[in-house]
Amino acid sequence: MAATGGLSLASGTTAATASKVKLSDGLVQNLAVGKVYRDHKGPVTGMNFTYDGQFLVTSGEDNSVYVYSCERASRARHLRCEKYGVSLIRFLHNDRDCAVAASRSETDHLLKYWDFHDNKYLRLFRSHTAKVTSVSPHPYEDMFLSGSEDKSVLLWDLRQDRPVAKINGQGTTMASFDQQGLVFAASVGQPKIHLFDTRNYAKGEFTSFDLRPHLKADLVAQHVQFSPCGKFLLVRTASQLLLIDAFDGELICEYVVSSPGDQEKPGQLAPVPGFSPDSQYVISGVSGGDVCVWSTTNARLVHRLEGHTATPSRTAFSPVHALVVTAAETLAWWIPDSSAATV
């Protein structure tokens, strides 16, 4: 994949100066590659923007973490984690320098509260006994959720070494806060989504949604995410991507993420999908290397971003700019191009 002429972010066309505009079908359809990074020497395992869209962090199987400035379209930091490795990584609320990262160690399934500025761990969280599958920081308080293959969801306070709450499941779990931090959703190994009141979680779930009527072969969610507007839940299994009404659990639509003849490899994780910041669009990598952008509520394909040679594992809209970043064999930055040049 190569950047198109005239779109190099490093040449002065930054995400900030070019892209503070309202998202629309026309803008999405004119996305073109403006910058390509080849820093990671292997698959990308995690990717996240800061709350203000000024920085992007990526982690990879090469035990590297890179932080990029979106204003300058340049690499700002390169950190290493040889001892534990890094899988998932998420910035904390209102913080450009601190993140929670899950280890890739086969024996030590800890979470790290990491200060990038000083490159040191402020705290290690050690309660999970198997691979961590999800990390979700609270949008404004010093807490986060983690899911794991050890059949538990844990709620953490950044100031304490031990979890403040535990939800036991029947299989691999994952959990995610809504953008207001009032509610969190959890999948605990069954074809259900459980909703909890963040301040009254001890009382148990206040509702749950049965996904079995909507699921085909794979009955376990690999990813659960609230839309920024709070009205929808995005649910990804190994073979399906569903939009669920966050209030009544009804299926709104399903996005086409596979083609006839596609075969999932055993143990392979599905690409991580996401929403645009205005909840208008859903984005995900699909098999073969493309990235699809759909209209959220009717699954209409708005645009297909072509150019990757491997299935993009991570795709994300910037929270404030008309910028999309996709991670596969390279890290590609897509910005609007009025000439609609092709990759």
Side-chain angles (χ1 to χ4, degrees), residues 7 50 94 229:
L7 279 178
T50 52
N94 295 336
C229 68

Side-chain angles (χ1 to χ4, degrees), residues 207-255:
T207 191
S208 64
F209 304 142
D210 190 350
L211 300 178
R212 281 175 293 188
H214 317 312
L215 300 180
K216 296 171 184 176
D218 307 289
L219 300 181
V220 178
Q222 293 188 7
H223 179 81
V224 177
Q225 178 184 352
F226 279 96
S227 61
C229 68
K231 297 178 180 179
F232 313 117
L233 280 164
L234 200 56
V235 179
R236 184 66 158 104
T237 69
S239 59
Q240 290 177 268
L241 180 57
L242 310 174
L243 187 74
I244 304 295
D245 189 301
F247 297 99
D248 60 20
E250 292 298 313
L251 176 68
I252 297 174
C253 61
E254 179 174 354
Y255 309 94

Side-chain angles (χ1 to χ4, degrees), residues 310-327:
T311 301
S313 61
R314 305 272 163 175
T315 55
F317 278 90
S318 162
V320 295
H321 302 132
L323 166 68
V324 166
V325 178
T326 60

Side-chain angles (χ1 to χ4, degrees), residues 22-94:
K22 179 177 173 59
L23 296 178
S24 65
D25 286 5
L27 185 149
V28 170
Q29 289 163 356
N30 285 340
L31 288 172
V33 176
K35 190 85 171 179
V36 175
Y37 288 97
R38 296 177 173 83
D39 293 323
H40 284 290
K41 309 307 178 186
V44 171
T45 59
M47 186 171 78
N48 190 225
F49 282 99
T50 52
Y51 69 98
D52 58 5
Q54 298 307 300
F55 293 93
L56 175 81
V57 65
T58 62
S59 57
E61 290 186 4
D62 58 0
N63 297 333
S64 284
V65 169
Y66 292 97
V67 179
Y68 300 91
S69 166
C70 297
E71 286 285 348
R72 299 181 178 86
S74 63
R75 196 175 79 188
R77 288 195 178 105
H78 175 205
L79 307 170
R80 299 282 297 172
C81 186
E82 299 292 350
K83 183 175 181 180
Y84 301 113
V86 188
S87 58
L88 309 175
I89 192 163
R90 293 288 303 272
F91 279 112
L92 296 170
H93 70 92
N94 295 336

Side-chain angles (χ1 to χ4, degrees), residues 54-248:
Q54 298 307 300
F55 293 93
L56 175 81
V57 65
T58 62
S59 57
E61 290 186 4
D62 58 0
N63 297 333
S64 284
V65 169
Y66 292 97
V67 179
Y68 300 91
S69 166
C70 297
E71 286 285 348
R72 299 181 178 86
S74 63
R75 196 175 79 188
R77 288 195 178 105
H78 175 205
L79 307 170
R80 299 282 297 172
C81 186
E82 299 292 350
K83 183 175 181 180
Y84 301 113
V86 188
S87 58
L88 309 175
I89 192 163
R90 293 288 303 272
F91 279 112
L92 296 170
H93 70 92
N94 295 336
D95 200 327
R96 298 176 178 179
D97 291 317
C98 290
V100 172
S103 83
R104 289 188 62 248
S105 168
E106 295 296 324
T107 56
D108 205 346
H109 307 285
L110 55 80
L111 292 141
K112 298 161 284 192
Y113 179 12
W114 197 344
D115 182 333
F116 292 157
H117 184 269
D118 294 331
N119 193 19
K120 67 178 182 181
Y121 301 142
L122 302 180
R123 195 175 302 278
L124 298 178
F125 307 96
R126 294 183 179 274
S127 287
H128 281 302
T129 58
K131 179 183 176 182
V132 174
T133 53
S134 70
V135 175
S136 178
H138 192 279
Y140 57 85
E141 293 188 359
D142 291 336
M143 61 175 64
F144 68 95
L145 289 161
S146 61
S148 171
E149 291 180 355
D150 66 8
K151 304 180 182 180
S152 72
V153 171
L154 300 180
L155 177 65
W156 304 86
D157 185 316
L158 288 171
R159 297 158 293 190
Q160 300 180 29
D161 294 339
R162 310 299 296 177
V164 297
K166 180 178 182 180
I167 299 170
N168 293 311
Q170 293 76 44
T172 298
T173 67
M174 55 192 47
S176 178
F177 284 111
D178 74 342
Q179 267 210 336
Q180 301 302 313
L182 302 176
V183 174
F184 65 86
S187 171
V188 294
Q190 293 182 324
K192 286 185 177 181
I193 301 297
H194 307 266
L195 298 187
F196 295 81
D197 184 325
T198 301
R199 298 202 179 277
N200 292 295
Y201 54 80
K203 295 182 179 179
E205 66 185 49
F206 64 82
T207 191
S208 64
F209 304 142
D210 190 350
L211 300 178
R212 281 175 293 188
H214 317 312
L215 300 180
K216 296 171 184 176
D218 307 289
L219 300 181
V220 178
Q222 293 188 7
H223 179 81
V224 177
Q225 178 184 352
F226 279 96
S227 61
C229 68
K231 297 178 180 179
F232 313 117
L233 280 164
L234 200 56
V235 179
R236 184 66 158 104
T237 69
S239 59
Q240 290 177 268
L241 180 57
L242 310 174
L243 187 74
I244 304 295
D245 189 301
F247 297 99
D248 60 20

